[in-house]
Amino acid sequence: QMCIRDRYMGYQQVWKMTQSPNPAKEVRMGYLVGYLSVILIGSLNFGWNASIFGACQFLFEWMYGWKESDSAFWRSLNNTLVPVGALVSSLIASKLMMYGRRVVIFVAAFFSIIGAIFLAVLQRPNPQTPTTGLAFLCIGRTLMGISVGFYSTVTPTYINEISPVHLTGTFGSCHQLLITFAIVMTYFLGFILPKKGEKIEVYQNNFTWKMGMAFPGIMSIIQVLLMMAVYTLDSPSYYCGKDEEKSQTALFKIYVQNMDAKDAYEKICLLYTSDAADEGLGVDLGGRRIIKKKTK
């Protein structure tokens, strides 16, 4: 029987079969960039939700009649609700990922869409029910925070698992890049929203600030539709060891299919049923462990 070390060296040789002198030619770049863009909607929503309240805070002060002593409390509360919601959901997201990366994204999108609905219907409160609008604002911000927690956990993992080895660093940095881009965009939005001391009655039902608050929900709807219609498979790493056919299908949507690579991939997947897998041995595929260690 082949010893563990020999088995490992054998699969290292199998991996070399899949290497190309020009790896860029082995990647379906159009499909990959589109897939990456859809996943990165989560990063965009993360940055947007983290900073949008600051752009709209003076409008909320007017809408709800916050006095100076109350304003600091409500600003602090609504800025805190997003990270608190994210803290809770990020703890759950790691457990949900065992059911698939797409599942986590769909859950994140659900909370984002519902939160956007609460925020989009905000208006100046009726004097008879002055707390209704504040409740909607707080609920919407909390739901957005829950969405952020799911997105912030699954997005880097998903990007890493679909990225070719030679593009992992480039694509991996896009997560932080999109977060920063969204933050900057909310600052630009602040230029066209009312400032403190201005006559802002005309902004009560203004489309701009409502779109700003609901924007993450709109992007989540687009993300879900694209993942259901175009990018219908999870990452190859998730399927490997669970559904070999789907794993290969997902792999060759990203890579140009050739028989050497297909043969190598089939042999690598066999490691799951080998003694090496039972011993917790993984195969390092170009700096990334596609064959996951079994936990005892």
PDB file of all heavy atoms in Angstrom, residues 63-97:
ATOM      1  N   MET A  63     -36.305  65.616  10.371  1.00  0.00           N
ATOM      2  CA  MET A  63     -37.497  64.786  10.252  1.00  0.00           C
ATOM      3  C   MET A  63     -38.075  64.425  11.613  1.00  0.00           C
ATOM      4  O   MET A  63     -39.289  64.460  11.818  1.00  0.00           O
ATOM      5  CB  MET A  63     -37.177  63.506   9.469  1.00  0.00           C
ATOM      6  CG  MET A  63     -37.112  63.680   7.968  1.00  0.00           C
ATOM      7  SD  MET A  63     -36.726  62.121   7.134  1.00  0.00           S
ATOM      8  CE  MET A  63     -38.133  61.116   7.584  1.00  0.00           C
ATOM      9  N   TYR A  64     -37.212  64.063  12.539  1.00  0.00           N
ATOM     10  CA  TYR A  64     -37.685  63.554  13.823  1.00  0.00           C
ATOM     11  C   TYR A  64     -37.592  64.580  14.940  1.00  0.00           C
ATOM     12  O   TYR A  64     -37.883  64.267  16.092  1.00  0.00           O
ATOM     13  CB  TYR A  64     -36.904  62.284  14.189  1.00  0.00           C
ATOM     14  CG  TYR A  64     -37.115  61.183  13.181  1.00  0.00           C
ATOM     15  CD1 TYR A  64     -36.071  60.740  12.375  1.00  0.00           C
ATOM     16  CD2 TYR A  64     -38.371  60.604  13.006  1.00  0.00           C
ATOM     17  CE1 TYR A  64     -36.269  59.743  11.437  1.00  0.00           C
ATOM     18  CE2 TYR A  64     -38.583  59.617  12.067  1.00  0.00           C
ATOM     19  CZ  TYR A  64     -37.532  59.184  11.293  1.00  0.00           C
ATOM     20  OH  TYR A  64     -37.739  58.206  10.358  1.00  0.00           O
ATOM     21  N   GLY A  65     -37.175  65.793  14.589  1.00  0.00           N
ATOM     22  CA  GLY A  65     -37.146  66.853  15.571  1.00  0.00           C
ATOM     23  C   GLY A  65     -36.187  66.607  16.722  1.00  0.00           C
ATOM     24  O   GLY A  65     -36.470  66.976  17.872  1.00  0.00           O
ATOM     25  N   TRP A  66     -35.043  66.002  16.417  1.00  0.00           N
ATOM     26  CA  TRP A  66     -34.077  65.730  17.479  1.00  0.00           C
ATOM     27  C   TRP A  66     -33.482  67.029  17.997  1.00  0.00           C
ATOM     28  O   TRP A  66     -32.984  67.852  17.229  1.00  0.00           O
ATOM     29  CB  TRP A  66     -32.941  64.842  16.965  1.00  0.00           C
ATOM     30  CG  TRP A  66     -33.378  63.463  16.597  1.00  0.00           C
ATOM     31  CD1 TRP A  66     -34.510  62.820  17.005  1.00  0.00           C
ATOM     32  CD2 TRP A  66     -32.694  62.555  15.723  1.00  0.00           C
ATOM     33  NE1 TRP A  66     -34.589  61.572  16.460  1.00  0.00           N
ATOM     34  CE2 TRP A  66     -33.481  61.367  15.665  1.00  0.00           C
ATOM     35  CE3 TRP A  66     -31.510  62.607  14.997  1.00  0.00           C
ATOM     36  CZ2 TRP A  66     -33.110  60.272  14.909  1.00  0.00           C
ATOM     37  CZ3 TRP A  66     -31.134  61.527  14.250  1.00  0.00           C
ATOM     38  CH2 TRP A  66     -31.933  60.362  14.198  1.00  0.00           C
ATOM     39  N   LYS A  67     -33.522  67.193  19.290  1.00  0.00           N
ATOM     40  CA  LYS A  67     -32.831  68.322  19.889  1.00  0.00           C
ATOM     41  C   LYS A  67     -31.346  67.986  19.980  1.00  0.00           C
ATOM     42  O   LYS A  67     -30.935  66.851  19.796  1.00  0.00           O
ATOM     43  CB  LYS A  67     -33.405  68.608  21.273  1.00  0.00           C
ATOM     44  CG  LYS A  67     -34.882  69.013  21.237  1.00  0.00           C
ATOM     45  CD  LYS A  67     -35.410  69.261  22.641  1.00  0.00           C
ATOM     46  CE  LYS A  67     -36.889  69.637  22.607  1.00  0.00           C
ATOM     47  NZ  LYS A  67     -37.445  69.849  23.957  1.00  0.00           N
ATOM     48  N   GLU A  68     -30.566  69.006  20.276  1.00  0.00           N
ATOM     49  CA  GLU A  68     -29.120  68.787  20.283  1.00  0.00           C
ATOM     50  C   GLU A  68     -28.727  67.711  21.278  1.00  0.00           C
ATOM     51  O   GLU A  68     -27.818  66.921  21.020  1.00  0.00           O
ATOM     52  CB  GLU A  68     -28.403  70.097  20.627  1.00  0.00           C
ATOM     53  CG  GLU A  68     -26.915  70.009  20.373  1.00  0.00           C
ATOM     54  CD  GLU A  68     -26.254  71.366  20.307  1.00  0.00           C
ATOM     55  OE1 GLU A  68     -26.951  72.362  20.070  1.00  0.00           O
ATOM     56  OE2 GLU A  68     -25.044  71.391  20.508  1.00  0.00           O
ATOM     57  N   SER A  69     -29.443  67.657  22.415  1.00  0.00           N
ATOM     58  CA  SER A  69     -29.113  66.643  23.420  1.00  0.00           C
ATOM     59  C   SER A  69     -29.503  65.243  22.948  1.00  0.00           C
ATOM     60  O   SER A  69     -28.866  64.248  23.327  1.00  0.00           O
ATOM     61  CB  SER A  69     -29.837  66.953  24.733  1.00  0.00           C
ATOM     62  OG  SER A  69     -31.250  67.035  24.518  1.00  0.00           O
ATOM     63  N   ASP A  70     -30.556  65.149  22.124  1.00  0.00           N
ATOM     64  CA  ASP A  70     -31.006  63.848  21.618  1.00  0.00           C
ATOM     65  C   ASP A  70     -30.238  63.409  20.375  1.00  0.00           C
ATOM     66  O   ASP A  70     -30.097  62.215  20.115  1.00  0.00           O
ATOM     67  CB  ASP A  70     -32.502  63.899  21.267  1.00  0.00           C
ATOM     68  CG  ASP A  70     -33.364  64.193  22.477  1.00  0.00           C
ATOM     69  OD1 ASP A  70     -32.960  63.811  23.581  1.00  0.00           O
ATOM     70  OD2 ASP A  70     -34.434  64.808  22.297  1.00  0.00           O
ATOM     71  N   SER A  71     -29.782  64.385  19.617  1.00  0.00           N
ATOM     72  CA  SER A  71     -29.171  64.083  18.327  1.00  0.00           C
ATOM     73  C   SER A  71     -27.955  63.164  18.472  1.00  0.00           C
ATOM     74  O   SER A  71     -27.797  62.206  17.721  1.00  0.00           O
ATOM     75  CB  SER A  71     -28.774  65.378  17.625  1.00  0.00           C
ATOM     76  OG  SER A  71     -28.190  65.100  16.376  1.00  0.00           O
ATOM     77  N   ALA A  72     -27.097  63.458  19.453  1.00  0.00           N
ATOM     78  CA  ALA A  72     -25.890  62.649  19.639  1.00  0.00           C
ATOM     79  C   ALA A  72     -26.250  61.203  19.978  1.00  0.00           C
ATOM     80  O   ALA A  72     -25.615  60.256  19.483  1.00  0.00           O
ATOM     81  CB  ALA A  72     -25.023  63.246  20.742  1.00  0.00           C
ATOM     82  N   PHE A  73     -27.294  61.028  20.787  1.00  0.00           N
ATOM     83  CA  PHE A  73     -27.709  59.671  21.159  1.00  0.00           C
ATOM     84  C   PHE A  73     -28.200  58.893  19.939  1.00  0.00           C
ATOM     85  O   PHE A  73     -27.782  57.746  19.708  1.00  0.00           O
ATOM     86  CB  PHE A  73     -28.817  59.734  22.215  1.00  0.00           C
ATOM     87  CG  PHE A  73     -29.494  58.413  22.441  1.00  0.00           C
ATOM     88  CD1 PHE A  73     -28.871  57.428  23.204  1.00  0.00           C
ATOM     89  CD2 PHE A  73     -30.737  58.134  21.876  1.00  0.00           C
ATOM     90  CE1 PHE A  73     -29.489  56.198  23.403  1.00  0.00           C
ATOM     91  CE2 PHE A  73     -31.350  56.904  22.080  1.00  0.00           C
ATOM     92  CZ  PHE A  73     -30.724  55.938  22.848  1.00  0.00           C
ATOM     93  N   TRP A  74     -29.102  59.506  19.151  1.00  0.00           N
ATOM     94  CA  TRP A  74     -29.675  58.794  18.022  1.00  0.00           C
ATOM     95  C   TRP A  74     -28.640  58.541  16.925  1.00  0.00           C
ATOM     96  O   TRP A  74     -28.663  57.497  16.267  1.00  0.00           O
ATOM     97  CB  TRP A  74     -30.868  59.559  17.465  1.00  0.00           C
ATOM     98  CG  TRP A  74     -32.064  59.483  18.353  1.00  0.00           C
ATOM     99  CD1 TRP A  74     -32.610  60.487  19.101  1.00  0.00           C
ATOM    100  CD2 TRP A  74     -32.865  58.324  18.606  1.00  0.00           C
ATOM    101  NE1 TRP A  74     -33.695  60.032  19.818  1.00  0.00           N
ATOM    102  CE2 TRP A  74     -33.879  58.705  19.521  1.00  0.00           C
ATOM    103  CE3 TRP A  74     -32.826  57.006  18.149  1.00  0.00           C
ATOM    104  CZ2 TRP A  74     -34.832  57.813  19.987  1.00  0.00           C
ATOM    105  CZ3 TRP A  74     -33.789  56.113  18.614  1.00  0.00           C
ATOM    106  CH2 TRP A  74     -34.780  56.523  19.522  1.00  0.00           C
ATOM    107  N   ARG A  75     -27.729  59.482  16.733  1.00  0.00           N
ATOM    108  CA  ARG A  75     -26.655  59.253  15.760  1.00  0.00           C
ATOM    109  C   ARG A  75     -25.785  58.086  16.200  1.00  0.00           C
ATOM    110  O   ARG A  75     -25.440  57.211  15.397  1.00  0.00           O
ATOM    111  CB  ARG A  75     -25.805  60.518  15.591  1.00  0.00           C
ATOM    112  CG  ARG A  75     -26.466  61.629  14.795  1.00  0.00           C
ATOM    113  CD  ARG A  75     -25.423  62.577  14.193  1.00  0.00           C
ATOM    114  NE  ARG A  75     -24.485  63.055  15.190  1.00  0.00           N
ATOM    115  CZ  ARG A  75     -24.617  64.187  15.895  1.00  0.00           C
ATOM    116  NH1 ARG A  75     -25.697  64.935  15.713  1.00  0.00           N
ATOM    117  NH2 ARG A  75     -23.706  64.568  16.756  1.00  0.00           N
ATOM    118  N   SER A  76     -25.414  58.089  17.459  1.00  0.00           N
ATOM    119  CA  SER A  76     -24.559  57.007  17.971  1.00  0.00           C
ATOM    120  C   SER A  76     -25.275  55.663  17.880  1.00  0.00           C
ATOM    121  O   SER A  76     -24.664  54.643  17.500  1.00  0.00           O
ATOM    122  CB  SER A  76     -24.161  57.289  19.419  1.00  0.00           C
ATOM    123  OG  SER A  76     -23.428  58.481  19.515  1.00  0.00           O
ATOM    124  N   LEU A  77     -26.568  55.662  18.239  1.00  0.00           N
ATOM    125  CA  LEU A  77     -27.320  54.408  18.205  1.00  0.00           C
ATOM    126  C   LEU A  77     -27.384  53.844  16.798  1.00  0.00           C
ATOM    127  O   LEU A  77     -27.110  52.647  16.578  1.00  0.00           O
ATOM    128  CB  LEU A  77     -28.733  54.643  18.739  1.00  0.00           C
ATOM    129  CG  LEU A  77     -29.679  53.427  18.672  1.00  0.00           C
ATOM    130  CD1 LEU A  77     -29.160  52.303  19.555  1.00  0.00           C
ATOM    131  CD2 LEU A  77     -31.094  53.822  19.076  1.00  0.00           C
ATOM    132  N   ASN A  78     -27.721  54.667  15.824  1.00  0.00           N
ATOM    133  CA  ASN A  78     -27.883  54.166  14.458  1.00  0.00           C
ATOM    134  C   ASN A  78     -26.553  53.824  13.803  1.00  0.00           C
ATOM    135  O   ASN A  78     -26.518  52.987  12.894  1.00  0.00           O
ATOM    136  CB  ASN A  78     -28.649  55.190  13.622  1.00  0.00           C
ATOM    137  CG  ASN A  78     -30.144  55.119  13.844  1.00  0.00           C
ATOM    138  OD1 ASN A  78     -30.825  54.291  13.272  1.00  0.00           O
ATOM    139  ND2 ASN A  78     -30.661  55.985  14.719  1.00  0.00           N
ATOM    140  N   ASN A  79     -25.485  54.452  14.240  1.00  0.00           N
ATOM    141  CA  ASN A  79     -24.168  54.050  13.748  1.00  0.00           C
ATOM    142  C   ASN A  79     -23.696  52.764  14.405  1.00  0.00           C
ATOM    143  O   ASN A  79     -22.869  52.042  13.849  1.00  0.00           O
ATOM    144  CB  ASN A  79     -23.147  55.162  14.004  1.00  0.00           C
ATOM    145  CG  ASN A  79     -23.250  56.293  13.001  1.00  0.00           C
ATOM    146  OD1 ASN A  79     -23.477  56.056  11.822  1.00  0.00           O
ATOM    147  ND2 ASN A  79     -23.110  57.525  13.467  1.00  0.00           N
ATOM    148  N   THR A  80     -24.224  52.459  15.595  1.00  0.00           N
ATOM    149  CA  THR A  80     -23.824  51.255  16.317  1.00  0.00           C
ATOM    150  C   THR A  80     -24.611  50.034  15.885  1.00  0.00           C
ATOM    151  O   THR A  80     -24.103  48.910  15.932  1.00  0.00           O
ATOM    152  CB  THR A  80     -24.016  51.463  17.835  1.00  0.00           C
ATOM    153  OG1 THR A  80     -23.277  52.604  18.250  1.00  0.00           O
ATOM    154  CG2 THR A  80     -23.558  50.245  18.623  1.00  0.00           C
ATOM    155  N   LEU A  81     -25.849  50.229  15.438  1.00  0.00           N
ATOM    156  CA  LEU A  81     -26.704  49.097  15.107  1.00  0.00           C
ATOM    157  C   LEU A  81     -26.127  48.232  13.987  1.00  0.00           C
ATOM    158  O   LEU A  81     -26.292  47.005  13.995  1.00  0.00           O
ATOM    159  CB  LEU A  81     -28.097  49.601  14.709  1.00  0.00           C
ATOM    160  CG  LEU A  81     -28.953  50.146  15.854  1.00  0.00           C
ATOM    161  CD1 LEU A  81     -30.237  50.759  15.306  1.00  0.00           C
ATOM    162  CD2 LEU A  81     -29.268  49.056  16.863  1.00  0.00           C
ATOM    163  N   VAL A  82     -25.446  48.855  13.026  1.00  0.00           N
ATOM    164  CA  VAL A  82     -24.877  48.080  11.912  1.00  0.00           C
ATOM    165  C   VAL A  82     -23.772  47.143  12.399  1.00  0.00           C
ATOM    166  O   VAL A  82     -23.826  45.932  12.135  1.00  0.00           O
ATOM    167  CB  VAL A  82     -24.392  49.010  10.780  1.00  0.00           C
ATOM    168  CG1 VAL A  82     -23.567  48.221   9.767  1.00  0.00           C
ATOM    169  CG2 VAL A  82     -25.579  49.654  10.085  1.00  0.00           C
ATOM    170  N   PRO A  83     -22.740  47.615  13.111  1.00  0.00           N
ATOM    171  CA  PRO A  83     -21.720  46.668  13.576  1.00  0.00           C
ATOM    172  C   PRO A  83     -22.229  45.643  14.576  1.00  0.00           C
ATOM    173  O   PRO A  83     -21.733  44.514  14.611  1.00  0.00           O
ATOM    174  CB  PRO A  83     -20.649  47.569  14.198  1.00  0.00           C
ATOM    175  CG  PRO A  83     -21.289  48.886  14.420  1.00  0.00           C
ATOM    176  CD  PRO A  83     -22.357  49.016  13.393  1.00  0.00           C
ATOM    177  N   VAL A  84     -23.216  46.014  15.397  1.00  0.00           N
ATOM    178  CA  VAL A  84     -23.775  45.040  16.335  1.00  0.00           C
ATOM    179  C   VAL A  84     -24.486  43.920  15.571  1.00  0.00           C
ATOM    180  O   VAL A  84     -24.305  42.730  15.864  1.00  0.00           O
ATOM    181  CB  VAL A  84     -24.735  45.727  17.327  1.00  0.00           C
ATOM    182  CG1 VAL A  84     -25.528  44.687  18.117  1.00  0.00           C
ATOM    183  CG2 VAL A  84     -23.958  46.616  18.291  1.00  0.00           C
ATOM    184  N   GLY A  85     -25.300  44.287  14.593  1.00  0.00           N
ATOM    185  CA  GLY A  85     -25.956  43.275  13.770  1.00  0.00           C
ATOM    186  C   GLY A  85     -24.944  42.418  13.020  1.00  0.00           C
ATOM    187  O   GLY A  85     -25.110  41.198  12.903  1.00  0.00           O
ATOM    188  N   ALA A  86     -23.881  43.058  12.535  1.00  0.00           N
ATOM    189  CA  ALA A  86     -22.837  42.322  11.812  1.00  0.00           C
ATOM    190  C   ALA A  86     -22.103  41.350  12.725  1.00  0.00           C
ATOM    191  O   ALA A  86     -21.733  40.248  12.308  1.00  0.00           O
ATOM    192  CB  ALA A  86     -21.851  43.311  11.188  1.00  0.00           C
ATOM    193  N   LEU A  87     -21.891  41.746  13.972  1.00  0.00           N
ATOM    194  CA  LEU A  87     -21.211  40.870  14.929  1.00  0.00           C
ATOM    195  C   LEU A  87     -22.001  39.585  15.140  1.00  0.00           C
ATOM    196  O   LEU A  87     -21.432  38.482  15.134  1.00  0.00           O
ATOM    197  CB  LEU A  87     -21.033  41.610  16.262  1.00  0.00           C
ATOM    198  CG  LEU A  87     -20.454  40.785  17.421  1.00  0.00           C
ATOM    199  CD1 LEU A  87     -19.035  40.339  17.102  1.00  0.00           C
ATOM    200  CD2 LEU A  87     -20.486  41.588  18.720  1.00  0.00           C
ATOM    201  N   VAL A  88     -23.292  39.708  15.296  1.00  0.00           N
ATOM    202  CA  VAL A  88     -24.138  38.531  15.535  1.00  0.00           C
ATOM    203  C   VAL A  88     -24.160  37.619  14.313  1.00  0.00           C
ATOM    204  O   VAL A  88     -23.942  36.401  14.405  1.00  0.00           O
ATOM    205  CB  VAL A  88     -25.568  38.972  15.908  1.00  0.00           C
ATOM    206  CG1 VAL A  88     -26.489  37.756  16.018  1.00  0.00           C
ATOM    207  CG2 VAL A  88     -25.559  39.755  17.220  1.00  0.00           C
ATOM    208  N   SER A  89     -24.407  38.193  13.144  1.00  0.00           N
ATOM    209  CA  SER A  89     -24.556  37.367  11.938  1.00  0.00           C
ATOM    210  C   SER A  89     -23.236  36.755  11.479  1.00  0.00           C
ATOM    211  O   SER A  89     -23.232  35.666  10.897  1.00  0.00           O
ATOM    212  CB  SER A  89     -25.167  38.194  10.804  1.00  0.00           C
ATOM    213  OG  SER A  89     -24.369  39.315  10.503  1.00  0.00           O
ATOM    214  N   SER A  90     -22.117  37.417  11.736  1.00  0.00           N
ATOM    215  CA  SER A  90     -20.827  36.843  11.324  1.00  0.00           C
ATOM    216  C   SER A  90     -20.516  35.560  12.089  1.00  0.00           C
ATOM    217  O   SER A  90     -19.838  34.667  11.563  1.00  0.00           O
ATOM    218  CB  SER A  90     -19.709  37.864  11.540  1.00  0.00           C
ATOM    219  OG  SER A  90     -19.587  38.206  12.914  1.00  0.00           O
ATOM    220  N   LEU A  91     -21.017  35.452  13.316  1.00  0.00           N
ATOM    221  CA  LEU A  91     -20.826  34.225  14.089  1.00  0.00           C
ATOM    222  C   LEU A  91     -21.654  33.076  13.511  1.00  0.00           C
ATOM    223  O   LEU A  91     -21.258  31.911  13.581  1.00  0.00           O
ATOM    224  CB  LEU A  91     -21.211  34.464  15.553  1.00  0.00           C
ATOM    225  CG  LEU A  91     -20.385  35.509  16.308  1.00  0.00           C
ATOM    226  CD1 LEU A  91     -20.954  35.738  17.702  1.00  0.00           C
ATOM    227  CD2 LEU A  91     -18.929  35.092  16.394  1.00  0.00           C
ATOM    228  N   ILE A  92     -22.808  33.412  12.950  1.00  0.00           N
ATOM    229  CA  ILE A  92     -23.683  32.395  12.361  1.00  0.00           C
ATOM    230  C   ILE A  92     -23.219  32.015  10.961  1.00  0.00           C
ATOM    231  O   ILE A  92     -23.358  30.867  10.529  1.00  0.00           O
ATOM    232  CB  ILE A  92     -25.135  32.917  12.310  1.00  0.00           C
ATOM    233  CG1 ILE A  92     -25.604  33.295  13.719  1.00  0.00           C
ATOM    234  CG2 ILE A  92     -26.079  31.896  11.686  1.00  0.00           C
ATOM    235  CD1 ILE A  92     -26.942  34.005  13.742  1.00  0.00           C
ATOM    236  N   ALA A  93     -22.639  32.981  10.236  1.00  0.00           N
ATOM    237  CA  ALA A  93     -22.293  32.768   8.828  1.00  0.00           C
ATOM    238  C   ALA A  93     -21.308  31.630   8.650  1.00  0.00           C
ATOM    239  O   ALA A  93     -21.414  30.850   7.689  1.00  0.00           O
ATOM    240  CB  ALA A  93     -21.717  34.054   8.241  1.00  0.00           C
ATOM    241  N   SER A  94     -20.343  31.511   9.554  1.00  0.00           N
ATOM    242  CA  SER A  94     -19.338  30.450   9.417  1.00  0.00           C
ATOM    243  C   SER A  94     -19.975  29.067   9.500  1.00  0.00           C
ATOM    244  O   SER A  94     -19.497  28.114   8.880  1.00  0.00           O
ATOM    245  CB  SER A  94     -18.257  30.613  10.487  1.00  0.00           C
ATOM    246  OG  SER A  94     -18.831  30.565  11.785  1.00  0.00           O
ATOM    247  N   LYS A  95     -21.050  28.944  10.263  1.00  0.00           N
ATOM    248  CA  LYS A  95     -21.762  27.670  10.348  1.00  0.00           C
ATOM    249  C   LYS A  95     -22.613  27.431   9.098  1.00  0.00           C
ATOM    250  O   LYS A  95     -22.704  26.303   8.605  1.00  0.00           O
ATOM    251  CB  LYS A  95     -22.660  27.659  11.590  1.00  0.00           C
ATOM    252  CG  LYS A  95     -21.923  27.893  12.894  1.00  0.00           C
ATOM    253  CD  LYS A  95     -20.935  26.780  13.194  1.00  0.00           C
ATOM    254  CE  LYS A  95     -20.254  26.984  14.536  1.00  0.00           C
ATOM    255  NZ  LYS A  95     -19.226  25.935  14.799  1.00  0.00           N
ATOM    256  N   LEU A  96     -23.196  28.494   8.579  1.00  0.00           N
ATOM    257  CA  LEU A  96     -24.045  28.358   7.394  1.00  0.00           C
ATOM    258  C   LEU A  96     -23.244  27.982   6.153  1.00  0.00           C
ATOM    259  O   LEU A  96     -23.779  27.386   5.221  1.00  0.00           O
ATOM    260  CB  LEU A  96     -24.797  29.662   7.130  1.00  0.00           C
ATOM    261  CG  LEU A  96     -26.103  29.908   7.886  1.00  0.00           C
ATOM    262  CD1 LEU A  96     -26.712  31.231   7.466  1.00  0.00           C
ATOM    263  CD2 LEU A  96     -27.089  28.773   7.667  1.00  0.00           C
ATOM    264  N   MET A  97     -21.958  28.339   6.134  1.00  0.00           N
ATOM    265  CA  MET A  97     -21.166  28.091   4.929  1.00  0.00           C
ATOM    266  C   MET A  97     -20.994  26.608   4.631  1.00  0.00           C
ATOM    267  O   MET A  97     -20.633  26.237   3.519  1.00  0.00           O
ATOM    268  CB  MET A  97     -19.808  28.791   5.031  1.00  0.00           C
ATOM    269  CG  MET A  97     -19.888  30.256   4.695  1.00  0.00           C
ATOM    270  SD  MET A  97     -18.316  30.972   4.150  1.00  0.00           S
ATOM    271  CE  MET A  97     -17.422  31.000   5.682  1.00  0.00           C
TER     272      MET A  97
END
